[in-house]
Amino acid sequence: QVHLVESGGGLVQAGGSLRLSCVASGSSFGTMGWYRQAPGKQRELVATITSASDTHYVDSVKGRFTISRDNAKNTVYLQMNSLKPEDTAVYYCNAQSRFYYVDYWGQGIQVTVSL
């Protein structure tokens, strides 16, 4: 069974920082990433990172968020700095199978940024 478990969310004031972690288990994974979904909005790609550590970010978080991974630990991180209220959402970890066209998802973790 494949499981992705996120941690590190919570409540933070605007301008603060959080680091999300996602531990994936049960398979080998290629590209991993973080998505977020705010109430009433569609799921949005935040950042992705390949197994070779090539990264991509949505424009709204460039310069503020940093995605990284530890392949030995099957863990992907999202360092979030200079947080804004607009970043408030449920953040989901995503991981692609190395062998199939299958995406695995974590259960989601709440990030709330207050004024």
Side-chain angles (χ1 to χ4, degrees):
Q1 295 90 342
V2 174
H3 297 283
L4 278 64
V5 180
E6 303 102 333
S7 62
L11 175 65
V12 66
Q13 293 187 36
S17 298
L18 287 172
R19 190 175 83 150
L20 304 182
S21 299
C22 173
V23 180
S25 62
S27 187
S28 296
F29 305 99
T31 298
M32 303 179 74
W34 291 93
Y35 293 72
R36 65 187 180 187
Q37 188 165 23
K41 299 185 67 177
Q42 292 185 319
R43 184 184 64 186
E44 175 189 35
L45 172 69
V46 178
T48 61
I49 184 167
T50 70
S51 59
S53 294
D54 296 318
T55 61
H56 295 275
Y57 301 90
V58 67
D59 286 344
S60 60
V61 308
K62 288 180 178 177
R64 300 189 298 121
F65 291 10
T66 302
I67 189 170
S68 61
R69 68 189 290 166
D70 185 332
N71 290 327
K73 297 180 179 179
N74 283 336
T75 301
V76 62
Y77 306 93
L78 186 68
Q79 178 67 46
M80 303 184 293
N81 298 326
S82 301
L83 282 162
K84 305 174 181 179
E86 304 88 84
D87 297 316
T88 295
V90 176
Y91 284 70
Y92 295 92
C93 180
N94 170 267
Q96 297 179 10
S97 170
R98 302 191 90 110
F99 313 115
Y100 305 100
Y101 289 109
V102 174
D103 286 300
Y104 302 102
W105 294 91
Q107 64 184 3
I109 188 165
Q110 180 70 45
V111 171
T112 302
V113 184
S114 64
L115 293 172

